Amino acid sequence: MKVEFAPISVPLQRRLQTASVVQWVFSFLGLAQCCTATFIALFFTRFWLVSALYAAWWLIDREKPRKGGRRIHAIRNSIVWRYMRDYFPVTLVKTAELDPRQNYLMGFHPHGVLAAGAFLNFCTEASGFSTLFPGITPHLMMLSMWFRIPFFREYLMSGGLVSSDKESASYVLQKPEGGNMLAIIVGGAQEALDARPGSCTLLLKNRKGFVRLAIEHGTPLVPIFSFGENDLFEQVRNPKGSWLRQLQHRLQQIMGISLPLFHARGIFQYSFGLVPYRRPICTVVGKPIPVQRKHRPSEEEVSRVHQKYLDELCKLFEEHKAKYNIPEDRHLEFI
């Protein structure tokens, strides 16, 4: 006897989609603090041994975020991420084949407020990364400080996140068998301070470290532009030179992370809250840029490859912007 299940109603689907996004936003805004508090609190209960054993494991395993992480495919393939994908929705677009015998260094732009597109496309299978790019294992770099948080570090590594330092990048890119992709959100936390609807400003003009890294390993560079990434949240006005921007920069220097004052919709209403708007994100992966390997490239060589990368990123943006309702007179601005 064949058992048939009734399809999920549209209202229920939308609630599940919203719930998946809420849990993701919470994971980055509150879960880290909760994990730290739980780790400390357990020491003062009869379950103190849990924290003690985890502390020992943490010490033994401390280098893992720099050694490719520890992905868990069951978590990457969770249905939660598919609901989150459909909330916006998020789409991953391939413009060229990637040879699984090579490693790749991908520059992701723009950062947005919470880098939703980067997370869904490279830390989950919701948008079908492995189907689009068979034989390629994605890694996404994240600030090292997040991997110092107990329990939370396991959650991060399960999706393929790795520490954002040179040692970590080299570990992924130097694997001789190939088939590894390292994605770097080049603009970083500082670029998030300019993330607002309609913005096409990228913090990239003087950021050349990722290019030098690609040359040192002979790794092709792949530009990525995520259309709609900046449209998910509104941000309190913080023009350069304002007291708010100066305060944000100061906090970033101290803490290592920026603190954009953002808002969007609520859970049960659409007026105000921290839940992102339902606006589509389309992440377009460009063509690989061949890079000649050189152990110690000169500044001129780095600048030349960097300029070629900027040109290819602009070309990618111009070729696809009309499909995603970007005005014809709007172009990328590098600062």
Side-chain angles (χ1 to χ4, degrees):
M1 182 177 66
K2 184 179 179 180
V3 179
E4 295 185 358
F5 295 94
I8 299 176
S9 65
V10 173
L12 179 56
Q13 284 182 340
R14 292 179 70 86
R15 292 191 190 99
L16 290 171
Q17 291 166 9
T18 303
S20 68
V21 173
V22 169
Q23 70 83 26
W24 173 73
V25 172
F26 170 74
S27 72
F28 283 95
L29 297 183
L31 184 57
Q33 292 86 340
C34 289
C35 287
T36 303
T38 300
F39 176 76
I40 296 173
L42 285 175
F43 275 113
F44 300 94
T45 70
R46 59 179 178 173
F47 301 107
W48 62 270
L49 188 58
V50 173
S51 287
L53 290 174
Y54 184 83
W57 162 254
W58 189 9
L59 184 63
I60 296 171
D61 195 57
R62 63 186 181 278
E63 293 298 318
K64 195 62 179 178
R66 295 190 181 95
K67 303 296 182 182
R70 185 187 300 106
R71 65 187 59 233
I72 300 175
H73 292 289
I75 293 180
R76 284 181 57 88
N77 287 283
S78 172
I79 193 173
V80 172
W81 308 129
R82 295 199 291 274
Y83 281 123
M84 182 177 168
R85 172 201 65 196
D86 295 337
Y87 172 89
F88 295 103
V90 175
T91 309
L92 183 63
V93 177
K94 178 175 72 172
T95 62
E97 296 293 337
L98 297 184
D99 186 352
R101 294 170 297 180
Q102 282 192 305
N103 297 318
Y104 295 91
L105 196 160
M106 295 185 168
F108 183 93
H109 315 273
H111 183 285
V113 171
L114 293 179
F119 176 82
L120 267 178
N121 287 312
F122 305 132
C123 297
T124 81
E125 288 297 331
S127 57
F129 182 92
S130 295
T131 302
L132 283 173
F133 302 102
I136 304 293
T137 301
H139 301 80
L140 178 65
M141 300 195 87
M142 191 175 189
L143 285 174
S144 303
M145 61 166 288
W146 294 109
F147 294 95
R148 301 188 189 114
I149 301 173
F151 306 123
F152 189 59
R153 69 191 291 273
E154 315 301 332
Y155 167 71
L156 297 177
M157 287 193 291
S158 69
L161 284 157
V162 295
S163 177
S164 60
D165 52 51
K166 190 172 183 179
E167 179 186 349
S168 176
S170 296
Y171 182 87
V172 174
L173 297 178
Q174 69 188 6
K175 290 188 175 180
E177 67 274 16
N180 286 284
M181 180 275 281
L182 180 67
I184 302 177
I185 307 178
V186 182
Q190 190 175 344
E191 190 177 81
L193 299 177
D194 289 311
R196 48 179 46 86
S199 173
C200 292
T201 301
L202 301 180
L203 187 61
L204 186 56
K205 189 176 182 180
N206 296 312
R207 298 216 164 183
K208 302 179 182 180
F210 73 105
V211 174
R212 181 178 295 276
L213 189 65
I215 296 174
E216 289 174 350
H217 291 86
T219 306
L221 283 163
V222 181
I224 299 175
F225 195 87
S226 193
F227 293 90
E229 194 74 45
N230 282 337
D231 299 336
L232 307 184
F233 297 95
E234 302 286 349
Q235 190 171 166
V236 175
R237 276 183 50 80
N238 59 342
K240 293 181 179 179
S242 66
W243 67 268
L244 177 57
R245 189 62 166 253
Q246 292 175 1
L247 177 61
Q248 289 171 324
H249 276 305
R250 181 58 179 164
L251 290 174
Q252 182 185 349
Q253 292 172 349
I254 297 173
M255 302 169 60
I257 57 174
S258 64
L259 296 172
L261 298 180
F262 62 91
H263 61 88
R265 51 159 289 194
I267 299 175
F268 303 109
Q269 43 75 33
Y270 296 88
S271 301
F272 188 85
L274 297 180
V275 181
Y277 295 121
R278 283 182 180 267
R279 293 174 179 170
I281 301 172
C282 188
T283 304
V284 183
V285 180
K287 300 175 183 178
I289 303 170
V291 174
Q292 187 69 35
R293 183 172 186 175
K294 189 169 185 180
H295 181 57
R296 292 183 179 178
S298 65
E299 287 298 327
E300 291 75 17
E301 290 170 321
V302 172
S303 295
R304 184 167 60 251
V305 176
H306 182 262
Q307 185 58 52
K308 187 174 182 180
Y309 179 87
L310 296 183
D311 294 341
E312 288 297 321
L313 180 60
C314 286
K315 182 179 178 182
L316 181 71
F317 177 81
E318 296 295 331
E319 286 179 349
H320 293 86
K321 68 180 183 181
K323 303 174 188 176
Y324 308 112
N325 301 317
I326 306 295
E328 183 63 30
D329 61 349
R330 186 169 296 167
H331 310 284
L332 291 183
E333 178 186 357
F334 301 122
I335 59 174

